[in-house]
Each structure stands twice: as C-alpha cells, then as structure tokens.
Amino acid sequence: MSYIRDKTNISYSILSGAISGSFSSIAFQPFEFIKTKLQQPEFVQNSRLTPNNRNIKLIIRSTLLDSNNQISFLNLRKFWIGLTPSLLRAIPGAAFYFASVDYLKNTSMLSHSDFGGPNQMLHSLLIGVLSRSIADVVTHPLNLVKTRYESENFKYKSILSAFKSILRQEGVHGLFKGLMPTLVRDISYSGTYYPLYTKTKLIVKQTHLLVL
C-alpha cells in the first residue's frame, strides 16, 4: 500500500512539474531570447554596451523591425524563437526535478519529516543538489539546442536536424558542451534554495501551530 502511495505521489510530481515547466517556458521565453542575444559574441563586439540598458532596447527594436526598417508588432513572435526546444527541455527538466525531490524526500535514505529533525538541513541540501544534477544532465542536450536556436547563428531546419548536425560535426560530447558551468550554477542555486525552502516551511508551520 505504501509503495502504491509513493508511486502515485511521484506520478503527481511528474505531471505537476511538466505542467508548471511548460507554462513558465511560454511566459519567460522572451527574456531567454533577449539574454541569449546579449551573450552573443558578435553582439558584444558590434554594439556599444551601456551601464543603463545593456542594449536591451536595441535588441527589442531590432527584433521588431521589418524589411522596410519599420516597427512591426507582427515580429513579436520572434521573441518566442526557440520555444519548442525550450518546452522540450523545461517539461522533462521540471518533471525530473520535482519527481526526484519527491522520491528522495519520501522514500530514500535522505527522507525526512516536514516537521524537521537533526539532519533535515543536510538532507535538504543533498536532495536539492542531486535533484538538480539529474535534471541538468538529462536535459542539457535540449538546453544546448534551445540556446543555438535562439542565437539564430545556426540555421537548423528542425530539432532533429540540429541533433544530427551536432552529432555529425562535434560527436556525442558536443551535446554536453557547457554542462559543467551549468551544473555549478544550478547546484549552487538549488543547494541553497531547497534547504532554505524546507527550513522556512518548517518555521511557518511551527509558528502557525503556536498561534493555534
């Protein structure tokens, strides 16, 4: 019975993570597009970056310009270039992350009660690090394709052709370029965020019980 309940909880985590990942990708894709543009070497070399706007205005304006050099709001769709690989990355990424958190928290050696314990912070740290590591490794090839789509420097016809091109020209290791910096960034974030989340949740629960 416990096995069935744990399996159901993980299924809920996968579904909830996938749904939340898809909504956040759609909502924040324009910011990802602008960030990628700012990080392009040719943009940095050919543009005058200022402390005030970092040329975000320039990116938005140039994206909206049509062939007649006029602002066209029909070009707003360009801000969602790379949405498909973003969704393919975010949906399994969020699903893997939340499912891993749920599994490690409830059914592994790192399991702990929401009401705390002597090792809760350590367990929360390890859960955050392991969950994010799993999600990053699994979804990194899709993250690489997403970034290249947004840069518009690689003229891939489809996601499948992008994978084939990378495998043909760079080999399997080409799909994992930039994985280490990504892991360092995300592990640091999740290793801080998740323990703070669990500790804050515990404090709020204890405060609520005291008030009652």
Side-chain angles (χ1 to χ4, degrees):
M1 192 70 181
S2 176
Y3 169 78
I4 296 175
R5 183 171 62 253
D6 291 338
K7 189 174 181 180
T8 302
N9 288 338
I10 293 175
S11 298
Y12 288 155
S13 296
I14 292 173
L15 179 60
S16 301
I19 292 172
S20 63
S22 61
F23 275 102
S24 61
S25 291
I26 294 170
F28 296 112
Q29 180 60 26
F31 298 103
E32 286 287 322
F33 176 83
I34 292 172
K35 183 195 76 171
T36 302
K37 286 289 187 182
L38 279 171
Q39 293 173 339
Q40 284 183 303
E42 65 274 16
F43 179 82
V44 174
Q45 294 169 5
N46 298 334
S47 304
R48 294 180 180 178
L49 298 177
T50 65
N52 295 327
N53 59 25
R54 295 292 295 175
N55 272 334
I56 291 176
K57 291 180 180 179
L58 174 62
I59 292 175
I60 294 174
R61 179 177 172 78
S62 62
T63 302
L64 293 176
L65 289 177
D66 60 18
S67 57
N68 296 319
N69 211 32
Q70 299 293 320
I71 296 292
S72 173
F73 290 102
L74 292 175
N75 288 331
L76 279 171
R77 64 181 183 274
K78 289 184 178 180
F79 288 103
W80 277 268
I81 289 176
L83 178 60
T84 300
S86 288
L87 288 170
L88 290 175
R89 177 204 63 169
I91 291 175
F96 270 108
Y97 175 73
F98 287 109
S100 298
V101 167
D102 191 69
Y103 173 79
L104 292 171
K105 177 184 173 184
N106 296 309
T107 60
S108 73
M109 293 175 61
L110 300 177
S111 61
H112 60 267
S113 168
D114 283 341
F115 289 94
N119 297 317
Q120 186 192 32
M121 288 298 288
L122 175 60
H123 287 183
S124 296
L125 171 65
L126 293 174
I127 287 172
V129 168
L130 289 173
S131 299
R132 180 50 59 191
S133 298
I134 293 169
D136 277 354
V137 171
V138 170
T139 62
H140 189 77
L142 289 165
N143 187 45
L144 179 74
V145 171
K146 177 197 80 74
T147 303
R148 292 190 177 186
Y149 253 87
E150 291 168 349
S151 72
E152 297 182 290
N153 288 334
F154 299 85
K155 304 302 180 182
Y156 298 131
K157 295 180 180 179
S158 65
I159 294 173
L160 182 60
S161 69
F163 277 107
K164 287 181 177 179
S165 176
I166 293 170
L167 286 171
R168 183 172 60 254
Q169 297 177 14
E170 305 172 47
V172 175
H173 70 277
L175 293 173
F176 293 91
K177 282 186 175 179
L179 176 60
M180 287 307 298
T182 299
L183 284 173
V184 171
R185 179 199 66 190
D186 289 352
I187 286 174
S188 300
Y189 171 78
S190 193
T192 304
Y193 160 78
Y194 188 71
L196 288 176
Y197 162 76
T198 54
K199 188 65 176 180
T200 303
K201 183 179 178 182
L202 173 62
I203 293 172
V204 171
K205 278 188 174 183
Q206 291 174 338
T207 304
H208 179 68
L209 290 174
L210 288 174
V211 170
L212 293 178

